[in-house]
Each structure stands twice: as C-alpha cells, then as structure tokens.
C-alpha cells in the first residue's frame, strides 16, 4: 500500500514536471513571436522572419566557363585579321556595307 | 596586306581596315577601340557620367568643355548649316518623347515595341518644334557652351561620323584606310594597288543582301533610314529620324537614303536631311551640287539614283 502511494506520487511529480516544461517551452515560442509583432507606439517594427527566401540554384558551368564575381565582363579579344588585297569582301560583298545604323 | 579590326562601340559595329605593305599589323590599329571609347565617354547621351550628360544637366549655365566635345559641337553646327536646319542637335527631347529613350543596343532587343501611356494620344497630335541651334550661346575663345534652360544636346549620328573621320585621319599614316561606324564609312584614299574601296549598299527589303556596289576612292558614304528602328506610340508608327520643324518623326516617302560626299560628316548630315525632306526635294538636293551623289530607296520599293551616281558604280580600270 505504501509502495502504491509512492508510485502515484512519482507519477504526479513527472506529470507536473512535463506540464511545467511544456508551459515554459510554449511560452518561449509564443512570447518570442509576440515580441517581433508588437512594438512600442511610434516604433517601426522590422519583422525578423519573412517568407522563405528564394534560393537560386547554383550556376551550371560548362567546361571552360568561368564564374565572374563582379567587375566588368571581359570583352571579346580584338583580333586583327590579315587578308591579301583584292576585294576583301565577304559573301561577294564589299570591304564594308553601308546601311541604317544598327548594333 | 589588308589588316582588319572589328569591334563594338557607340552602340554599333565598328570596322577599321588599313592597307599596308607589311604582314604585321600596324600598332596604331590596335588603338582604334580606345579612341572610340574615349569619344563615347565624352559624347554619349546614354552614359549618365559622360561629359555630354553633365553638360545637359547644367543647361542655363556657361560650361567649359573638352576639345572633343567642342569639335563635335562645331561639326553639329556645320551639319545644321549644310542642311538648312534639318540636322539639329537639340532634338533630344523630341527623340525621347518619340520613344528613342535607350541605346541602339537596347532598342535592338525589341525593335518593334509599343510605347504607350495615357497621355500619348493627346501629345501625339501636338506640334512640338525643336529650338534652333542659334539659341545656344558659345564663347569661341574659351570653348564654353551655354545651353538655354530646358534644352539638351544630342549629337547622334554626327558624333559617329566625326569619330570615324577622326579615326581615318589617325590611321592613314600607316596606309590607305577605311573605317565603318555602324554603316557610315570613311575612306582616306585609294588602296595601295590604286583601286577604289568596294562598298556594298544594304538592301532594306532583304536583310543580308546587297542592293548595289559602290566604288569609293576618298571621302565618305552614309545611309540614313527608318527601316530598322521603329515602334508605335498611341498606335502611330514612330522612328528615330526627327523632323526639327515639327519635333515629330519625319513623314517621308523615303525608306533609306545613301549619300556619297567629300567627307563622312557631310555624307551623314545630308543623308539624314534628304530622308527628312522626301524623294522629290532629296533628288533636287543631290543633283544640285556636284560634290555629292546618292541613292534613295522609297517605301514603295522604287529606287531613285542621283544624276551622276554612275561614276561610283563601276571600277575605273
């Protein structure tokens, strides 16, 4: 009978401890959320948690490609082409073509 | 040997060719892209930190300008004089209003766009003539320019033509030279074998094909057209050739005007003026002076040549 009473006391103690722990845990969770949502009058409240950030997938680089981290993009190499005299045109055209300005 | 360098500047494709005896390219040819970058930084309206943009921000004040900007300003005043005011450096606001508010590079990403806003139907009907270049006050001795308030300069094709002309002047020490700046071409003299430079005229109706071949020993050839960059505003077709008399895109029956002149700045200015004037006045213009010849392609597909264009259509030898 004495043992039975002691077991019941232990169970009550355990239940109380779990209740206190759950209460404190929930308090901590909800109280911290409330803090971010409530401010003093006139105070601008900046939410600490926004929507889930969009994470860009890592760039897929092809062999030989370089990932540029800032700065200006390198210009294509300016190569001087040497040809023999006589026309100089391409596809039967002239050395140069005149037309409306275009990129 | 022909030494050819292709590069990109001023929103356009650039080409420089030097004809010289040596197999190794002349060192000066490699400098050409740097010159164009320097000139663009002074003259571009699309760069907010360019000297031109800074000058425009200070309209209403007297501002000392660099030699480059001063020289191009003088070239634009000459172009205004040659063309009776049809080439005017004060058309910027009209251009921006018409929708040419970004560079050719950016326009090319969507050349057939529509620029509409709630007030455009109202403004599209209004007449907004462009101020005269004579309203700009200058001090020749100190190279100061005083733009009237609420006006802005845009050198446009004049800057490109001037730049190509300057590049030819610098490169020709290495040999006969051709420089093409977005379709405007300057040549310093015949090639080393005494042959003229063959220059194709693009066919505005068939992309990539040629309408004619011109043979040019010296001077400049330029084409002005409304065939490539056009868009709509309030349903009204727009293009980037502004008629300063109305402040609106020119109403003309010409699709492209190609002009040959003793210098590229002259050819560029005249091509634009003739495009604005229309075919009847344009042909009168070309036939009225022996210094220039030209070829007009009309919107209906018809082609009109100036009286003596034939001398440029075949090899002399």
């Amino acid at each position: 009978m004495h043992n039975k009473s002691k077991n019941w006391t232990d169970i009550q103690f355990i239940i109380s401890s779990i209740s206190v722990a759950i209460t404190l845990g929930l308090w901590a969770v909800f109280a911290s959320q409330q803090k971010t949502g409530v401010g003093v009058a006139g105070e601008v409240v900046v939410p600490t948690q926004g929507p889930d950030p969009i994470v860009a997938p890592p760039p897929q680089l092809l062999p030989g490609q370089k990932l540029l981290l800032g700065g200006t993009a390198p210009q294509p190499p300016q190569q001087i082409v040497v040809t023999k005299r006589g026309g100089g045109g391409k596809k039967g055209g002239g050395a140069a073509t005149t037309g409306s300005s275009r990129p | 040997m022909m030494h050819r360098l292709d590069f990109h500047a001023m929103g356009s494709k650039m080409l420089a060719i030097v004809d010289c005896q040596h197999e190794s390219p002349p060192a000066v040819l490699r400098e050409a892209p740097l010159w164009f970058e320097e000139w663009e930084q002074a003259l571009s309206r699309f760069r907010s930190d360019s000297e031109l943009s800074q000058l425009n921000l200070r309209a209403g004040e007297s501002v000392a300008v660099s030699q480059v900007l001063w020289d191009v300003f003088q070239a634009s005043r000459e172009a205004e004089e040659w063309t009776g005011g049809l080439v005017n450096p004060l058309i910027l606001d009209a251009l921006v209003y018409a929708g040419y508010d970004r560079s050719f590079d950016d326009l090319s990403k969507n050349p057939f766009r529509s620029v509409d806003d709630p007030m455009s139907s109202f403004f599209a009907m209004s007449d907004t003539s462009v101020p005269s270049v004579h309203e700009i006050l200058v001090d020749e001795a100190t190279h100061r320019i005083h733009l009237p308030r609420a006006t802005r300069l845009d050198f446009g094709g004049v800057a490109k033509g001037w730049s190509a002309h300057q590049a030819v002047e610098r490169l020709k020490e290495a040999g006969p030279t051709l420089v093409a700046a977005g379709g405007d071409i300057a040549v310093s003299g015949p090639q080393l074998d005494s042959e003229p430079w063959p220059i194709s005229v693009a066919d505005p109706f068939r992309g990539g094909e040629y309408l004619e071949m011109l043979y040019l020993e010296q001077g400049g050839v330029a084409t002005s057209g409304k065939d490539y960059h056009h868009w709509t505003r309030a349903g009204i077709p727009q293009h980037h050739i502004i008629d300063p008399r109305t402040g609106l895109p020119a109403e003309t029956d010409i699709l492209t005007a190609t002009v040959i002149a003793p210098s590229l700045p002259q050819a560029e200015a005249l091509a634009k003026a003739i495009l604005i004037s229309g075919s009847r006045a344009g042909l009168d213009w070309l036939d009225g002076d022996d210094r220039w010849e030209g070829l007009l392609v009309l919107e209906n597909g018809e082609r009109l040549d100036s009286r003596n264009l034939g001398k440029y259509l075949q090899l002399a030898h």
Side-chain angles (χ1 to χ4, degrees):
Chain A
M1 187 68 187
H2 178 75
N3 276 345
K4 199 174 180 182
S5 163
K6 191 181 176 187
N7 283 346
W8 178 239
T9 307
D10 288 345
I11 290 168
Q12 280 182 314
F13 181 73
I14 290 167
I15 289 172
S16 302
S17 300
I18 290 171
S19 300
V20 169
I22 289 172
T23 305
L24 288 173
L26 291 174
W27 186 308
V29 170
F30 290 110
S32 64
Q33 282 186 354
Q34 210 174 8
K35 265 186 197 169
T36 61
V38 178
V40 180
E43 186 182 356
V44 177
V45 178
V46 180
T48 54
Q49 272 189 312
D52 291 340
I54 298 168
V55 180
Q60 300 291 315
L61 294 181
L62 298 172
Q65 273 190 321
K66 290 178 182 172
L67 180 62
L68 299 173
L69 300 172
T72 53
Q75 300 300 308
Q78 285 158 346
Q79 197 171 4
I80 295 175
V81 177
V82 183
T83 57
K84 287 184 179 173
R85 199 175 299 113
K90 48 187 178 182
K91 296 179 185 172
T97 300
T98 182
S100 299
S101 286
R102 57 191 64 190
Chain B
M1 305 298 286
M2 292 288 186
H3 301 277
R4 174 190 174 112
L5 178 62
D6 290 273
F7 56 100
H8 193 269
M10 298 182 169
S12 300
K13 287 178 183 172
M14 301 285 166
L15 163 67
I17 303 176
V18 177
D19 185 9
C20 67
Q21 303 283 9
H22 311 291
E23 294 217 355
S24 58
V28 69
L29 183 55
R30 293 193 189 282
E31 295 176 21
L34 304 177
W35 303 333
F36 277 87
E37 169 56 29
E38 179 192 335
W39 295 328
E40 189 171 3
Q41 185 57 32
L43 305 171
S44 174
R45 75 168 166 102
F46 299 109
R47 295 184 179 184
S48 59
D49 61 345
S50 72
E51 187 182 3
L52 179 67
S53 295
Q54 298 302 310
L55 175 65
N56 284 337
L57 282 174
R58 295 175 65 186
E61 296 176 42
S62 175
V63 179
V65 300
S66 68
Q67 188 67 47
V68 168
L69 201 144
W70 179 258
D71 288 346
V72 177
F73 177 67
Q74 296 304 322
S76 73
R77 291 212 294 186
E78 287 174 0
E80 195 265 351
E81 192 177 319
W82 293 328
T83 61
L86 290 180
V87 174
N88 182 322
L90 292 174
I91 59 166
L92 180 51
D93 287 324
L95 266 176
V96 171
Y97 169 70
Y100 183 22
D101 53 357
R102 58 203 73 191
S103 69
F104 277 165
D105 281 334
D106 292 335
L107 278 174
S108 68
K109 291 169 189 160
N110 184 9
F112 307 110
R113 71 206 173 98
S114 170
V115 184
D116 283 321
D117 61 60
M119 294 300 285
S120 56
S121 302
F122 171 75
F123 283 117
M125 303 303 292
S126 67
D127 181 296
T128 50
S129 58
V130 174
S132 165
V133 73
H134 299 293
E135 294 177 33
I136 302 172
L137 303 176
V138 295
D139 185 333
E140 306 279 350
T142 58
H143 290 188
R144 298 184 80 88
I145 297 175
H146 186 143
L147 296 175
R149 285 188 189 283
T151 58
R152 294 187 290 168
L153 278 175
D154 176 29
F155 297 123
V158 171
K160 215 176 282 180
W162 178 90
S163 299
H165 180 75
Q166 291 300 313
V168 162
E169 290 298 304
R170 293 184 182 190
L171 290 168
K172 71 181 185 185
E173 300 300 323
T177 299
L178 176 151
V179 172
D184 294 348
I185 298 162
V187 297
S188 67
Q191 300 174 58
L192 282 182
D193 60 4
S194 301
E195 293 291 336
W197 295 88
I199 294 170
S200 318
V201 180
D203 186 335
F205 290 107
R206 284 171 285 275
E209 293 187 26
Y210 306 122
L211 194 65
E212 189 57 89
M213 185 73 81
L214 304 175
Y215 295 93
L216 188 63
E217 289 195 346
Q218 192 168 15
V221 55
T223 297
S224 190
K226 56 177 186 176
D227 55 323
Y228 190 66
H229 297 296
H230 43 85
W231 55 91
T232 63
R233 184 175 190 88
I236 299 171
Q238 308 279 310
H239 55 82
H240 70 288
I241 307 295
I242 298 292
D243 185 339
R245 297 168 298 188
T246 63
L248 299 171
E251 290 185 20
T252 172
D253 60 338
I254 301 176
L255 189 61
T256 61
T258 300
V259 172
I260 304 166
S263 76
L264 177 55
Q266 284 177 321
E268 200 279 333
L270 288 167
K272 186 175 290 179
I274 286 169
L275 183 76
I276 293 170
S277 303
S279 60
R280 184 182 296 249
L283 265 191
D284 287 346
W285 211 323
L286 289 172
D287 290 337
D289 195 316
D290 289 342
R291 291 176 296 172
W292 31 76
E293 300 294 338
L295 180 165
L296 313 179
V297 178
L298 308 190
E299 281 186 322
N300 62 10
E302 194 180 349
R303 170 181 156 175
L304 302 174
D305 293 357
S306 64
R307 193 180 301 137
N308 295 317
L309 181 69
K311 63 186 178 187
Y312 294 106
L313 298 184
Q314 50 202 332
L315 284 166
H317 310 291

mmCIF file of all heavy atoms in Angstrom, chain B residues 63-95:
data_model
loop_
_atom_site.group_PDB
_atom_site.id
_atom_site.type_symbol
_atom_site.label_atom_id
_atom_site.label_comp_id
_atom_site.label_asym_id
_atom_site.label_seq_id
_atom_site.Cartn_x
_atom_site.Cartn_y
_atom_site.Cartn_z
ATOM 1 N N VAL B 63 29.372 76.543 -69.537
ATOM 2 C CA VAL B 63 30.216 75.418 -69.121
ATOM 3 C C VAL B 63 31.400 75.283 -70.078
ATOM 4 O O VAL B 63 31.213 75.261 -71.301
ATOM 5 C CB VAL B 63 29.401 74.100 -69.121
ATOM 6 C CG1 VAL B 63 30.275 72.921 -68.716
ATOM 7 C CG2 VAL B 63 28.191 74.226 -68.208
ATOM 8 N N ALA B 64 32.608 75.182 -69.539
ATOM 9 C CA ALA B 64 33.788 74.927 -70.366
ATOM 10 C C ALA B 64 33.811 73.449 -70.736
ATOM 11 O O ALA B 64 33.580 72.596 -69.882
ATOM 12 C CB ALA B 64 35.053 75.293 -69.596
ATOM 13 N N VAL B 65 34.055 73.151 -72.016
ATOM 14 C CA VAL B 65 34.010 71.756 -72.467
ATOM 15 C C VAL B 65 35.365 71.328 -73.024
ATOM 16 O O VAL B 65 36.214 72.166 -73.346
ATOM 17 C CB VAL B 65 32.905 71.546 -73.534
ATOM 18 C CG1 VAL B 65 31.543 71.889 -72.967
ATOM 19 C CG2 VAL B 65 33.184 72.362 -74.787
ATOM 20 N N SER B 66 35.534 70.021 -73.159
ATOM 21 C CA SER B 66 36.791 69.464 -73.677
ATOM 22 C C SER B 66 36.921 69.750 -75.172
ATOM 23 O O SER B 66 35.931 70.111 -75.844
ATOM 24 C CB SER B 66 36.824 67.961 -73.444
ATOM 25 O OG SER B 66 35.839 67.339 -74.257
ATOM 26 N N GLN B 67 38.124 69.518 -75.693
ATOM 27 C CA GLN B 67 38.357 69.736 -77.122
ATOM 28 C C GLN B 67 37.472 68.816 -77.962
ATOM 29 O O GLN B 67 36.927 69.224 -78.992
ATOM 30 C CB GLN B 67 39.836 69.482 -77.439
ATOM 31 C CG GLN B 67 40.237 69.860 -78.850
ATOM 32 C CD GLN B 67 40.164 71.370 -79.101
ATOM 33 O OE1 GLN B 67 40.640 72.159 -78.303
ATOM 34 N NE2 GLN B 67 39.547 71.757 -80.209
ATOM 35 N N VAL B 68 37.320 67.560 -77.506
ATOM 36 C CA VAL B 68 36.490 66.606 -78.273
ATOM 37 C C VAL B 68 35.054 67.102 -78.355
ATOM 38 O O VAL B 68 34.464 67.173 -79.439
ATOM 39 C CB VAL B 68 36.537 65.204 -77.612
ATOM 40 C CG1 VAL B 68 35.472 64.291 -78.209
ATOM 41 C CG2 VAL B 68 37.913 64.583 -77.795
ATOM 42 N N LEU B 69 34.492 67.449 -77.233
ATOM 43 C CA LEU B 69 33.094 67.893 -77.247
ATOM 44 C C LEU B 69 32.941 69.189 -78.044
ATOM 45 O O LEU B 69 31.975 69.370 -78.789
ATOM 46 C CB LEU B 69 32.565 68.069 -75.828
ATOM 47 C CG LEU B 69 31.035 68.029 -75.740
ATOM 48 C CD1 LEU B 69 30.593 67.350 -74.450
ATOM 49 C CD2 LEU B 69 30.415 69.402 -75.809
ATOM 50 N N TRP B 70 33.933 70.058 -77.909
ATOM 51 C CA TRP B 70 33.885 71.314 -78.656
ATOM 52 C C TRP B 70 33.907 71.035 -80.163
ATOM 53 O O TRP B 70 33.130 71.618 -80.936
ATOM 54 C CB TRP B 70 35.059 72.208 -78.257
ATOM 55 C CG TRP B 70 35.093 73.512 -78.991
ATOM 56 C CD1 TRP B 70 35.897 73.829 -80.044
ATOM 57 C CD2 TRP B 70 34.271 74.656 -78.752
ATOM 58 N NE1 TRP B 70 35.628 75.108 -80.473
ATOM 59 C CE2 TRP B 70 34.639 75.644 -79.700
ATOM 60 C CE3 TRP B 70 33.265 74.951 -77.830
ATOM 61 C CZ2 TRP B 70 34.032 76.892 -79.743
ATOM 62 C CZ3 TRP B 70 32.658 76.205 -77.887
ATOM 63 C CH2 TRP B 70 33.045 77.154 -78.827
ATOM 64 N N ASP B 71 34.820 70.138 -80.594
ATOM 65 C CA ASP B 71 34.941 69.844 -82.030
ATOM 66 C C ASP B 71 33.653 69.229 -82.583
ATOM 67 O O ASP B 71 33.227 69.550 -83.692
ATOM 68 C CB ASP B 71 36.117 68.888 -82.275
ATOM 69 C CG ASP B 71 37.457 69.582 -82.083
ATOM 70 O OD1 ASP B 71 37.482 70.828 -82.020
ATOM 71 O OD2 ASP B 71 38.484 68.871 -81.992
ATOM 72 N N VAL B 72 33.039 68.328 -81.814
ATOM 73 C CA VAL B 72 31.800 67.705 -82.306
ATOM 74 C C VAL B 72 30.656 68.713 -82.290
ATOM 75 O O VAL B 72 29.791 68.704 -83.171
ATOM 76 C CB VAL B 72 31.465 66.445 -81.482
ATOM 77 C CG1 VAL B 72 30.151 65.839 -81.928
ATOM 78 C CG2 VAL B 72 32.582 65.423 -81.630
ATOM 79 N N PHE B 73 30.678 69.602 -81.328
ATOM 80 C CA PHE B 73 29.668 70.667 -81.307
ATOM 81 C C PHE B 73 29.802 71.533 -82.567
ATOM 82 O O PHE B 73 28.804 71.883 -83.209
ATOM 83 C CB PHE B 73 29.832 71.510 -80.044
ATOM 84 C CG PHE B 73 28.877 72.667 -79.966
ATOM 85 C CD1 PHE B 73 27.517 72.448 -79.816
ATOM 86 C CD2 PHE B 73 29.336 73.970 -80.052
ATOM 87 C CE1 PHE B 73 26.629 73.519 -79.761
ATOM 88 C CE2 PHE B 73 28.463 75.040 -79.999
ATOM 89 C CZ PHE B 73 27.108 74.815 -79.842
ATOM 90 N N GLN B 74 31.046 71.840 -82.936
ATOM 91 C CA GLN B 74 31.267 72.616 -84.170
ATOM 92 C C GLN B 74 30.775 71.826 -85.383
ATOM 93 O O GLN B 74 30.158 72.385 -86.291
ATOM 94 C CB GLN B 74 32.753 72.954 -84.330
ATOM 95 C CG GLN B 74 33.321 73.863 -83.253
ATOM 96 C CD GLN B 74 32.544 75.164 -83.130
ATOM 97 O OE1 GLN B 74 32.102 75.742 -84.115
ATOM 98 N NE2 GLN B 74 32.337 75.615 -81.908
ATOM 99 N N ALA B 75 31.063 70.517 -85.395
ATOM 100 C CA ALA B 75 30.610 69.674 -86.514
ATOM 101 C C ALA B 75 29.081 69.672 -86.598
ATOM 102 O O ALA B 75 28.509 69.693 -87.696
ATOM 103 C CB ALA B 75 31.135 68.252 -86.340
ATOM 104 N N SER B 76 28.422 69.682 -85.445
ATOM 105 C CA SER B 76 26.954 69.671 -85.469
ATOM 106 C C SER B 76 26.409 71.020 -85.939
ATOM 107 O O SER B 76 25.369 71.082 -86.598
ATOM 108 C CB SER B 76 26.396 69.309 -84.091
ATOM 109 O OG SER B 76 26.548 70.371 -83.191
ATOM 110 N N ARG B 77 27.133 72.086 -85.628
ATOM 111 C CA ARG B 77 26.689 73.393 -86.131
ATOM 112 C C ARG B 77 26.867 73.469 -87.652
ATOM 113 O O ARG B 77 26.035 74.036 -88.369
ATOM 114 C CB ARG B 77 27.489 74.515 -85.450
ATOM 115 C CG ARG B 77 27.137 74.658 -83.974
ATOM 116 C CD ARG B 77 27.256 76.075 -83.477
ATOM 117 N NE ARG B 77 28.627 76.575 -83.499
ATOM 118 C CZ ARG B 77 28.980 77.752 -82.997
ATOM 119 N NH1 ARG B 77 28.082 78.538 -82.447
ATOM 120 N NH2 ARG B 77 30.237 78.147 -83.034
ATOM 121 N N GLU B 78 27.986 72.876 -88.153
ATOM 122 C CA GLU B 78 28.188 72.846 -89.608
ATOM 123 C C GLU B 78 27.096 72.015 -90.276
ATOM 124 O O GLU B 78 26.564 72.387 -91.324
ATOM 125 C CB GLU B 78 29.565 72.253 -89.928
ATOM 126 C CG GLU B 78 30.715 73.195 -89.604
ATOM 127 C CD GLU B 78 32.064 72.527 -89.787
ATOM 128 O OE1 GLU B 78 32.116 71.343 -90.163
ATOM 129 O OE2 GLU B 78 33.078 73.199 -89.520
ATOM 130 N N ALA B 79 26.756 70.862 -89.652
ATOM 131 C CA ALA B 79 25.714 69.999 -90.226
ATOM 132 C C ALA B 79 24.387 70.743 -90.268
ATOM 133 O O ALA B 79 23.630 70.636 -91.247
ATOM 134 C CB ALA B 79 25.584 68.732 -89.393
ATOM 135 N N GLU B 80 24.121 71.508 -89.259
ATOM 136 C CA GLU B 80 22.885 72.295 -89.206
ATOM 137 C C GLU B 80 22.872 73.312 -90.355
ATOM 138 O O GLU B 80 21.851 73.544 -90.993
ATOM 139 C CB GLU B 80 22.807 72.991 -87.842
ATOM 140 C CG GLU B 80 21.449 73.551 -87.476
ATOM 141 C CD GLU B 80 21.297 75.007 -87.827
ATOM 142 O OE1 GLU B 80 22.307 75.624 -88.206
ATOM 143 O OE2 GLU B 80 20.171 75.518 -87.744
ATOM 144 N N GLU B 81 24.068 73.883 -90.627
ATOM 145 C CA GLU B 81 24.178 74.884 -91.685
ATOM 146 C C GLU B 81 24.016 74.249 -93.064
ATOM 147 O O GLU B 81 23.287 74.745 -93.917
ATOM 148 C CB GLU B 81 25.553 75.553 -91.568
ATOM 149 C CG GLU B 81 25.715 76.802 -92.400
ATOM 150 C CD GLU B 81 27.084 77.424 -92.168
ATOM 151 O OE1 GLU B 81 27.536 77.449 -91.004
ATOM 152 O OE2 GLU B 81 27.702 77.840 -93.143
ATOM 153 N N TRP B 82 24.725 73.091 -93.287
ATOM 154 C CA TRP B 82 24.638 72.433 -94.600
ATOM 155 C C TRP B 82 23.218 72.032 -94.931
ATOM 156 O O TRP B 82 22.832 71.963 -96.091
ATOM 157 C CB TRP B 82 25.478 71.144 -94.612
ATOM 158 C CG TRP B 82 26.945 71.332 -94.501
ATOM 159 C CD1 TRP B 82 27.694 72.369 -94.973
ATOM 160 C CD2 TRP B 82 27.872 70.431 -93.876
ATOM 161 N NE1 TRP B 82 29.013 72.172 -94.672
ATOM 162 C CE2 TRP B 82 29.146 70.994 -94.013
ATOM 163 C CE3 TRP B 82 27.736 69.206 -93.229
ATOM 164 C CZ2 TRP B 82 30.296 70.370 -93.514
ATOM 165 C CZ3 TRP B 82 28.868 68.583 -92.742
ATOM 166 C CH2 TRP B 82 30.134 69.168 -92.879
ATOM 167 N N THR B 83 22.455 71.687 -93.920
ATOM 168 C CA THR B 83 21.136 71.076 -94.163
ATOM 169 C C THR B 83 19.982 72.055 -93.927
ATOM 170 O O THR B 83 18.833 71.624 -93.883
ATOM 171 C CB THR B 83 20.945 69.860 -93.241
ATOM 172 O OG1 THR B 83 21.002 70.305 -91.878
ATOM 173 C CG2 THR B 83 22.008 68.814 -93.481
ATOM 174 N N GLY B 84 20.300 73.324 -93.786
ATOM 175 C CA GLY B 84 19.242 74.308 -93.583
ATOM 176 C C GLY B 84 18.427 74.051 -92.326
ATOM 177 O O GLY B 84 17.223 74.314 -92.292
ATOM 178 N N GLY B 85 19.075 73.477 -91.310
ATOM 179 C CA GLY B 85 18.399 73.269 -90.027
ATOM 180 C C GLY B 85 17.739 71.907 -89.864
ATOM 181 O O GLY B 85 17.169 71.614 -88.817
ATOM 182 N N LEU B 86 17.836 71.052 -90.901
ATOM 183 C CA LEU B 86 17.177 69.741 -90.791
ATOM 184 C C LEU B 86 17.957 68.766 -89.903
ATOM 185 O O LEU B 86 17.394 67.774 -89.441
ATOM 186 C CB LEU B 86 16.965 69.131 -92.184
ATOM 187 C CG LEU B 86 15.915 69.842 -93.040
ATOM 188 C CD1 LEU B 86 15.782 69.175 -94.398
ATOM 189 C CD2 LEU B 86 14.563 69.856 -92.330
ATOM 190 N N VAL B 87 19.242 69.036 -89.720
ATOM 191 C CA VAL B 87 20.002 68.264 -88.727
ATOM 192 C C VAL B 87 20.263 69.210 -87.565
ATOM 193 O O VAL B 87 20.916 70.234 -87.726
ATOM 194 C CB VAL B 87 21.321 67.731 -89.318
ATOM 195 C CG1 VAL B 87 22.171 67.070 -88.245
ATOM 196 C CG2 VAL B 87 21.029 66.731 -90.424
ATOM 197 N N ASN B 88 19.707 68.884 -86.433
ATOM 198 C CA ASN B 88 19.693 69.814 -85.298
ATOM 199 C C ASN B 88 20.072 69.046 -84.026
ATOM 200 O O ASN B 88 19.467 68.006 -83.736
ATOM 201 C CB ASN B 88 18.273 70.397 -85.181
ATOM 202 C CG ASN B 88 18.135 71.411 -84.068
ATOM 203 O OD1 ASN B 88 18.710 71.259 -83.004
ATOM 204 N ND2 ASN B 88 17.358 72.448 -84.314
ATOM 205 N N PRO B 89 21.075 69.525 -83.276
ATOM 206 C CA PRO B 89 21.499 68.768 -82.085
ATOM 207 C C PRO B 89 20.566 68.953 -80.878
ATOM 208 O O PRO B 89 20.838 68.393 -79.819
ATOM 209 C CB PRO B 89 22.888 69.342 -81.794
ATOM 210 C CG PRO B 89 22.820 70.745 -82.285
ATOM 211 C CD PRO B 89 21.913 70.716 -83.484
ATOM 212 N N LEU B 90 19.493 69.717 -81.044
ATOM 213 C CA LEU B 90 18.601 69.958 -79.903
ATOM 214 C C LEU B 90 17.306 69.137 -79.984
ATOM 215 O O LEU B 90 16.291 69.498 -79.399
ATOM 216 C CB LEU B 90 18.263 71.452 -79.805
ATOM 217 C CG LEU B 90 19.436 72.343 -79.415
ATOM 218 C CD1 LEU B 90 19.035 73.825 -79.495
ATOM 219 C CD2 LEU B 90 19.942 72.023 -78.021
ATOM 220 N N ILE B 91 17.373 68.030 -80.713
ATOM 221 C CA ILE B 91 16.149 67.228 -80.881
ATOM 222 C C ILE B 91 15.964 66.191 -79.785
ATOM 223 O O ILE B 91 15.040 65.389 -79.840
ATOM 224 C CB ILE B 91 16.152 66.480 -82.236
ATOM 225 C CG1 ILE B 91 17.378 65.553 -82.320
ATOM 226 C CG2 ILE B 91 16.095 67.445 -83.392
ATOM 227 C CD1 ILE B 91 17.282 64.558 -83.436
ATOM 228 N N LEU B 92 16.834 66.222 -78.763
ATOM 229 C CA LEU B 92 16.827 65.116 -77.796
ATOM 230 C C LEU B 92 15.466 64.901 -77.132
ATOM 231 O O LEU B 92 14.989 63.764 -77.039
ATOM 232 C CB LEU B 92 17.911 65.336 -76.737
ATOM 233 C CG LEU B 92 18.015 64.256 -75.672
ATOM 234 C CD1 LEU B 92 18.117 62.865 -76.285
ATOM 235 C CD2 LEU B 92 19.212 64.507 -74.774
ATOM 236 N N ASP B 93 14.840 65.966 -76.689
ATOM 237 C CA ASP B 93 13.560 65.781 -76.006
ATOM 238 C C ASP B 93 12.510 65.185 -76.951
ATOM 239 O O ASP B 93 11.700 64.350 -76.539
ATOM 240 C CB ASP B 93 13.065 67.105 -75.417
ATOM 241 C CG ASP B 93 13.897 67.499 -74.200
ATOM 242 O OD1 ASP B 93 14.301 66.596 -73.455
ATOM 243 O OD2 ASP B 93 14.153 68.699 -74.023
ATOM 244 N N ALA B 94 12.557 65.621 -78.216
ATOM 245 C CA ALA B 94 11.615 65.066 -79.196
ATOM 246 C C ALA B 94 11.900 63.582 -79.428
ATOM 247 O O ALA B 94 10.985 62.766 -79.563
ATOM 248 C CB ALA B 94 11.713 65.845 -80.512
ATOM 249 N N LEU B 95 13.177 63.234 -79.460
ATOM 250 C CA LEU B 95 13.560 61.825 -79.643
ATOM 251 C C LEU B 95 13.081 60.969 -78.480
ATOM 252 O O LEU B 95 12.516 59.895 -78.675
ATOM 253 C CB LEU B 95 15.085 61.714 -79.713
ATOM 254 C CG LEU B 95 15.747 61.729 -81.081
ATOM 255 C CD1 LEU B 95 17.257 61.702 -80.918
ATOM 256 C CD2 LEU B 95 15.297 60.547 -81.911
#
